[in-house]
């Protein structure tokens, strides 16, 4: 048994060093290829030009995303509401498929409005950079600012409506989407199976963050020779990488009763 | 799934629907449905609560079958 464990340990260690070596080799190759490609095709210039075009178009991109997020989120909510309205009598045994379908539509509505909000925050930053760099005019910036405000309010109210529909499916659930303590109240009114599903989804999100931050960090390192990116992007990625890990470490090390 | 259950029969015997049973044991209709389908194994606390509502022992409600290795 011990020999088997030792062999397994040795295999894992060798695999670890192979990964490190392969990663370093890949990084070196990518850097060299990057140098070659960037020099040969003047990609730095091309990407800088692309960024300038992106800044010029940013208000229109922003308005497009505003509309898309609002329409998509509304459509999914409307579909779910229609399904619920057509259902006047509950026959739970046959209704699992119906329940899952409606629940998925509502999840899509909430998910799209959430992702939409984050994307809008990001693109609005681009619009702000564009107006400060005089890539776009001030009137267009104020139109975007107004659209930003209105779409945020609209998406937040859509989330509230979606949550209200979820509560028709799950009457025991508590919490208002506009409440700052919504997540806490929602989780408190969830049963053990729902909490387990939430924890599993959170762990998956946390695990995927590790990969995303690693890739982002590697991309930033590869960009150093070609763009004047400064230290700020590294600081942002580093902080975002540190915080979830610190919270995870803290929570895991605390001895709490787990119900 | 090594955990088999007879929840559906016992619930039918009591004339409760999934929503009503869920309210009695502090679980959602969806969770009761998942347990009945064998897609979710409840905690000891929830299993005891369900057994108490059904007025049977946990062993009558849930059976553990060893999986073939």
């Amino acid at each position: 048994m011990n020999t088997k464990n030792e062999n397994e340990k040795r295999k894992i260690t060798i695999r670890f060093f192979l990964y490190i070596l392969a990663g370093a080799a890949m990084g070196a190759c990518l850097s060299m290829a990057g140098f070659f490609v960037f020099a040969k095709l003047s990609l730095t210039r091309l990407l800088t030009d692309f960024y300038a075009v992106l800044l010029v178009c940013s208000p229109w991109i922003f308005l497009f995303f505003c509309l898309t997020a609002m329409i998509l989120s509304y459509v999914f909510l409307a579909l779910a509401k229609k399904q619920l309205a057509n259902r006047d009598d509950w026959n739970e045994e046959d209704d699992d498929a119906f329940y899952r379908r409606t629940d998925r539509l509502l999840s899509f509505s909430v998910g799209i409005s959430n992702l939409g909000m984050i994307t809008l925050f990001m693109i609005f930053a681009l619009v702000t950079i564009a107006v400060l760099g005089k890539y776009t005019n001030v009137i267009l910036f104020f139109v975007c600012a107004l659209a930003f405000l209105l779409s945020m309010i609209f998406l937040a109210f859509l989330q509230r409506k979606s949550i209200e529909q979820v509560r028709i499916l799950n009457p025991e659930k508590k919490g208002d989407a506009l409440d700052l303590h919504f997540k806490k109240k929602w989780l408190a009114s969830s049963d053990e199976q729902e909490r387990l599903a939430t924890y599993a989804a959170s762990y998956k999100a946390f695990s995927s963050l590790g990969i995303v931050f690693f890739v982002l960090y590697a991309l930033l390192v590869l960009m150093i020779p070609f763009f004047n990116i400064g230290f700020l992007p590294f600081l942002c990625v580093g902080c975002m990488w540190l915080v979830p890990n610190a919270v995870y470490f803290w929570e895991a090390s605390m001895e709490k009763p787990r119900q | 799934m090594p955990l088999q259950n007879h929840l559906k029969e016992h619930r039918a015997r009591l004339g409760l629907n999934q929503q009503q049973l869920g309210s009695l044991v502090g679980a959602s209709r969806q969770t009761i449905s998942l347990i009945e389908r064998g897609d979710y194994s409840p905690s000891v606390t929830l299993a005891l609560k369900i057994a108490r509502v059904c007025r049977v022992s946990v062993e009558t409600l849930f059976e553990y079958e060893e999986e073939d290795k």
Side-chain angles (χ1 to χ4, degrees), chain B residues 4-58:
Chain B
Q4 307 290 321
N5 73 78
H6 308 284
L7 180 56
K8 199 169 177 176
E9 299 97 89
H10 285 284
R11 183 171 61 76
R13 179 175 55 79
L14 293 170
L16 294 171
N17 63 29
Q18 290 175 335
Q19 185 77 54
Q20 288 164 333
L21 178 63
S23 313
L24 288 171
V25 298
S28 66
R29 187 202 70 81
Q30 183 69 359
T31 300
I32 300 297
S33 169
L34 287 170
I35 296 171
E36 285 183 359
R37 291 207 309 263
D39 289 340
Y40 175 66
S41 301
S43 68
V44 177
T45 315
L46 184 56
L48 283 165
K49 280 183 185 173
I50 295 171
R52 185 175 288 177
V53 168
C54 292
R55 291 191 290 268
V56 288
S57 67
V58 177

Side-chain angles (χ1 to χ4, degrees), chain A residues 138-155:
Chain A
V138 181
I139 298 168
L140 212 49
F141 171 75
F142 279 113
V143 169
C144 285
L146 187 67
F148 183 53
L149 196 70
L150 291 176
S151 56
M152 285 293 152
I153 294 170
F154 183 79
L155 290 173

